[in-house]
Amino acid sequence: MNKLFEFLEKYLMGPMGKVSTYRPVRAIVAAGIASIPFTIVGSMFLVLSIVPLAFPLEFIKDLWANSFDKIQPLYLQAYNCTMGILSLYFSIVIGYEYTKIYAEEQEENVDPVYGALLSVFAFFLTIPQLVVSKGAFDYLNVDGETINGWTIGGNSLDRLSTSGMFTAILMAILVVQLYRLCINRNWVVKMPEAVPEGVSRSFSALIPAGFVAFVLLIIDGIFIAFGTDIYNVIAIPFAFVRNITNSWIGIVIIYLLVHALWIVGIHGANIVMGLVNPILLTNMAENVKGANIAFAGEFTNAYVTIGGSGATLLLCFWLAFMAKSAQLKVLGRAAMGPAIFNINEPLIFGIPIVYNPILALPFILAPIASASVGYWSIRLGLAGIATAQTPWPTPIGLGAYIGAAGSGLAGSIGAFVTAVVCAIVAFIIWYPFIKMYDNKLLAEEGAAEA
């Protein structure tokens, strides 16, 4: 087991630790965290519109038909203005955070506000669709869909939704580097000292904005001449990445990495899931449009890490009421409350699970098993797909039920049952190992008393 820890430290902890310090990764993670309140609020209004599907009782249907359904276009604006333009939120935050990192850590004279504005500017340059017609550039027009290059998808601009997430991310990263290039090479408009600082600072972004426009328009123009554009070119590799992560093998690898990192003391979820969350949000938005993707929304906390990383909810209750070791019994009782809301740091560091040769294996295998049960239950139609984002601390079953409300009552009940089965399967894997560890501690406690 010591060799396993050495292997993980050398080939996983080191590389992934470095990845977590990369500036673009930190900016992307910050954007995911910043988007949480908006995705949850938007999803809650979407859930409001599908309550009759989750609870198909006649009095509820009649109540909704005579009340909420009549104002549905009004309150669904909260969904359209969050999930419907989520790429815009990512563009703003990544541009700001990425520039801020250089301003604070490298002490460069860049302004995070202009980093954000330039990112949005660049992202919007990729949204209109142009074509070459009769030897000249022209806006694409498709009756009922695209007007002067702007395509409507659902109730918002199509490329501003989650489908444009990766374009927004790459544009923000590219633009901040172009902005830095201009500032560091002193390609700026210098104003006299008598000019107020705010005005002078605004003119400092003039040349960078022009440079960004020049570079992106040339690149986009070349792609358009070949029948595509920046947006579609970026979509190709990321579609490949999405297809891999949406497969069962991809999910297994994701949760293997998350929990292997935990074992050597690194918060794996912050690193791995921070990068995966844009895919989960994109998949959820696709499900709302009619797709059938299992790995979407709060899949992780609904089916995988029930009770916290390692899927330790039932383990925690077993420790509290069935453990013979005084240490584990006290830990179990102290951790029960947080565990209900998917928080289990008291167990991870209190047992401890980190660097524990007995508990490392179930800590990795249990969430992989629960993820597999959740994935295949959804793929086989036993549980509904996620169409709404729920807060990650939502207790077992409830998050899965609400998240799958768009699949109707059968889908929500199936999701609830699947979540419970996932917790049971995880505990079955935990049981022989924790029993062994409990006996070990009990013997040590007995020896200490003697």
Side-chain angles (χ1 to χ4, degrees), residues 36-356:
I36 289 174
F38 302 100
T39 58
I40 292 176
V41 168
S43 294
M44 290 303 98
F45 279 96
L46 178 65
V47 168
L48 184 63
S49 72
I50 56 180
V51 166
L53 294 175
F55 304 96
L57 302 175
E58 286 303 320
F59 83 91
I60 291 181
K61 291 180 180 178
D62 292 339
L63 175 62
W64 251 249
N66 293 301
S67 57
F68 292 106
D69 287 352
K70 292 184 177 181
I71 60 171
Q72 186 180 95
L74 175 64
Y75 67 75
L76 278 185
Q77 292 291 4
Y79 177 81
N80 297 331
C81 293
T82 49
M83 294 298 298
I85 58 171
L86 192 60
S87 295
L88 182 58
Y89 289 91
F90 267 70
S91 176
I92 294 169
V93 178
I94 293 174
Y96 183 89
E97 292 290 337
Y98 196 30
T99 308
K100 183 181 177 183
I101 290 171
Y102 281 107
E104 293 181 350
E105 297 180 6
Q106 300 290 109
E107 297 184 351
E108 296 182 2
N109 191 29
V110 289
D111 189 333
V113 172
Y114 287 110
L117 292 174
L118 288 170
S119 296
V120 173
F121 173 50
F123 180 43
F124 268 100
L125 284 175
T126 69
I127 293 176
Q129 299 177 66
L130 280 72
V131 293
V132 175
S133 177
K134 298 179 181 180
F137 287 94
D138 195 6
Y139 292 109
L140 176 67
N141 282 281
V142 179
D143 291 342
E145 294 181 10
T146 305
I147 302 172
N148 288 338
W150 300 83
T151 300
I152 304 298
N155 292 308
S156 64
L157 292 173
D158 184 57
R159 292 187 170 187
L160 284 181
S161 67
T162 52
S163 63
M165 188 89 70
F166 298 111
T167 302
I169 291 171
L170 286 186
M171 285 300 100
I173 294 171
L174 171 63
V175 162
V176 170
Q177 293 301 328
L178 293 177
Y179 179 34
R180 290 181 59 236
L181 176 66
C182 291
I183 296 298
N184 292 336
R185 290 180 177 257
N186 212 23
W187 296 345
V188 295
V189 175
K190 293 183 179 181
M191 304 295 289
E193 292 183 2
V195 175
E197 183 180 354
V199 176
S200 179
R201 185 172 288 274
S202 68
F203 272 87
S204 71
L206 181 61
I207 292 178
F211 186 55
V212 166
F214 181 75
V215 170
L216 290 182
L217 289 175
I218 288 179
I219 296 173
D220 204 26
I222 293 172
F223 284 135
I224 292 169
F226 285 95
T228 184
D229 57 22
I230 292 177
Y231 185 98
N232 287 321
V233 169
I234 292 174
I236 295 172
F238 282 104
F240 177 72
V241 173
R242 276 187 63 201
N243 289 336
I244 293 176
T245 57
N246 292 342
S247 68
W248 175 71
I249 291 296
I251 290 174
V252 168
I253 292 172
I254 287 169
Y255 293 113
L256 173 64
L257 287 174
V258 168
H259 291 84
L261 286 169
W262 259 122
I263 287 297
V264 289
I266 294 179
H267 199 308
N270 280 354
I271 299 174
V272 180
M273 299 312 297
L275 297 173
V276 172
N277 277 336
I279 295 176
L280 288 165
L281 292 171
T282 300
N283 291 345
M284 185 178 70
E286 291 299 315
N287 284 345
V288 173
K289 297 176 183 177
N292 186 25
I293 305 173
F295 191 55
E298 273 298 334
F299 178 88
T300 300
N301 292 298
Y303 302 110
V304 185
T305 55
I306 299 173
S309 295
T312 58
L313 180 63
L314 296 185
L315 169 68
C316 184
F317 280 85
W318 186 89
L319 294 177
F321 299 108
M322 301 298 292
K324 296 178 181 179
S325 160
Q327 175 186 332
L328 293 183
K329 190 180 290 290
V330 169
L331 273 172
R333 291 177 178 175
M336 275 195 302
I340 293 173
F341 300 100
N342 299 324
I343 300 169
N344 70 340
E345 275 77 3
L347 290 184
I348 290 177
F349 297 106
I351 291 179
I353 295 173
V354 174
Y355 282 105
N356 190 317

Side-chain angles (χ1 to χ4, degrees), residues 3-19:
K3 290 184 178 180
L4 173 62
F5 289 139
E6 291 175 3
F7 176 84
L8 292 176
E9 286 179 348
K10 183 177 181 180
Y11 296 104
L12 189 62
M13 180 180 177
M16 293 304 292
K18 289 181 180 178
V19 168

